[in-house]
Amino acid sequence: MAEAEFIKGNEAIAMGAIEAGCRFYFGYPITPQNDIPEYMSRHLTDVDGTFIQAESEIASINMLLGASSTGARAMTSSSSPGISLKQEGISYMCGSQIPGVIVNMSRSGPGLGGIDPSQGDYFQATRGGGHGDYRTIVLAPHSVQENYDLTMKAFDLADKYRNPVVILGDALLGQMKEPIRRRKYRKKEFPKDWAMTGAKGRKKRLLKSLYLSEGELTDHNWMLNKKYQSMKREIMFETQFMEGAKLVVVAFGSVARILKSTVQMARDRGMKVGLFRPITLFPFPSAALDKISHSIKNFMAVELNTGQMLEDLKLSVGHKKNQVDFYGRPPGSIPSPDELFHEIKKIYKKRIG
Amino acid sequence: MAMIKFRRERCKGCGMCVSACPKNLLVVGSKINRAGYPMARIDDMKSCTGCALCAEMCPDVVITVFK
Amino acid sequence: MKQTFKRPKALVDIPFHFCPGCHHGIIHRLVAECIDFYGLREKTIGVASVGCSVFLYDYFNADVVEAPHGRAAAVATGVKRASPDNFVFTYQGDGDLAAIGTAEIIHAANRGERITVIFVNNTVFGMTGGQMAPTTMSGQETTTTPFGRDLETNGFPIKMSELLTELPGSTFVARAAVNNPKNLMKAKKLLKRAFEVQTNGEGFSFVEFLSACPTNWKMTPKQATERVQEEMIPYFPLGVFKGGQE
Ligand SMILES: Cc1ncc(C[n+]2csc(CCOP(=O)(O)OP(=O)(O)O)c2C)c(N)n1
Ligand code: SF4
Ligand code: SF4
Ligand code: SF4
Ligand SMILES: [Mg+2]
């Protein structure tokens, strides 16, 4: 095993990307993710890669579209307002089936909001975000190690499905430092028989999203939908203390990380609380939650927003008269494990006694 | 000796070739092609020099030139 | 007899959808001829934009990727950086390049991206039905300037070639027209030079084509062609602005 190194969350993403063979990075500065472009600008040259500080997030996403269209591994990163600007490009990439990795170290909104950690972009990330009926795979790390590991995975998934993959972190996950273990990445090769390489000795290729003939776009949308459905096999989640649990707290990303301490506190006090952490937000681990809901009836979503993932949780377990409670902390401050314990205790008392 | 050929189904009757011909040999007639456009034609092929200016100016690559 | 003028190989043998007398067809053919002339077909990656030329990907017998409206220069940047040995061109209208895509074209030129940009200025948004473009002439009636473009409220028709010439990053900038055989022959030369600037690795090349849109100008093709001469060329002068000779 490699020795542990102390790394900043944002840098772990950049390192993971380069190790996964990302050779093109396009971005526009925005707090709290600037360590990513800064790292890329310094280290991509070591591997003959290209870094461009673009004129905007719009330009960045379209440069990503262009570079990825040649079959190369490429990435852009930003934070919430910048991710809003990228949405049209992401929609085109989905429509044209062009892979690419998009990192959102999200900050608080709406508008300029602030730079605090926030999970307010859950809907934007998991519902497509831009125009048209499309989805991106969304990975939600909760530690620096996962920032690194999931970034590598993101490149494989993007190539595998010919689809953009979003990594949804936040200011907390970008800024904190933690030891990580580097691992040897084995690149998975996927056929790139669609890539722009010049029509040498073969028929020309087209990457486009415009379909005008009768029925063509209907078929295209169903084909894409089938692909999004097939992504279910990539579902990832983590559970803790599920044995005999009477209340399952469901949370992702930074707040799930804080909740790990909270749930431990609850168990120490004899409360039967478990933790369910979705790692893929799209596709959402609905089937797993549904299964759990056959034996456990009480769920509680905790998010750094006013209730977004909550809807997916309700869709997954909301039938059969299960109880789904919610604690939301919109951006401005991060809840401590104690505060969260207090909130969980309230629900636990109400539902279980 | 020169000759031009029209790909008549592609003609849109725009008349760009008519204006281009230095010898004024082309006209857009009243005959309509399958696409519904009147077609350009040449009546006096013998006077054609094969300069290809008509073909150069045709937006729809209707004309080919032989010399 | 030998065939002295034929359809370029880089053009797929299907009819154009353009209106009668639309110069897009001529400009498409000139680009295809250049691709043939330099033997670049198998190395070409085209970047299609959104406008009347959106079907470029059907017409060129080459790899083509579609860019969102206005972003072709950014897409081409990504393509060329990732694939520097390919010949990469964009083909963009004046709404695409000079309105929504102004930032992308200026910065691509300023970075000296080794791409070739074909810019078709027809003083109007053709595809969407004839609204004002940034290049619409003073007094020109469009569907959104029903009383003519008023410079007081709409600003001035933008001169993209002149603008890009000022950028130290651009290598070759020229403006051409295809409204008559003489201008068309000059246009061919300029386009060739623009191609060479990329194939020689010299830098960013840009050719603006003044182009007629008979449909939205509400003119016959002949009148539209005359308008290019009489109204457009005096305001948008033709010629090489930068980087004429090697
Ligand atoms: C983001 C976005 N905004 C607006 C449009 C609608 N639109 C399509 S083409 C076009 C303008 C086309 O004009 P131009 O680029 O001059 O090309 P032309 O058709 O004149 O050749 C517009 C506004 C779009 N497709 N996408
Ligand atoms: S220029 Fe071409 S399309 Fe127009 S009338 Fe002549 S042959 Fe027909
Ligand atoms: S080739 Fe020249 S002379 Fe002959 S018809 Fe065409 S323009 Fe006229
Ligand atoms: S609308 Fe104008 S630019 Fe578009 S195809 Fe017709 S003539 Fe050409
Ligand atoms: Mg236009």
Side-chain angles (χ1 to χ4, degrees), chain C residues 167-239:
Chain C
L167 300 176
S170 63
T171 300
F172 178 76
V173 181
R175 188 184 283 123
V178 293
N179 62 320
N180 59 42
K182 207 173 115 214
N183 284 341
L184 184 141
M185 294 306 165
K186 279 191 207 150
K188 282 191 171 192
K189 282 206 186 107
L190 299 183
L191 195 57
K192 278 190 177 157
R193 172 77 187 117
F195 269 56
E196 285 168 8
V197 165
Q198 182 176 167
T199 52
N200 295 343
E202 290 174 63
F204 176 87
S205 55
F206 181 89
V207 183
E208 173 174 347
F209 283 90
L210 303 183
S211 181
C213 173
T215 303
N216 288 305
W217 295 359
K218 304 197 168 39
M219 288 178 176
T220 64
K222 190 160 190 275
Q223 289 168 330
T225 295
E226 282 161 10
R227 178 182 181 245
V228 172
Q229 190 68 34
E230 280 151 27
E231 287 181 39
M232 287 181 79
I233 292 176
Y235 184 84
F236 294 113
L238 306 183

Side-chain angles (χ1 to χ4, degrees), chain C residues 18-19 22 24 52 122 126-127 212-216:
Chain C
F18 303 119
C19 309
C22 175
H24 267 306
C52 279
N122 58 9
M127 190 197 215
C213 173
T215 303
N216 288 305

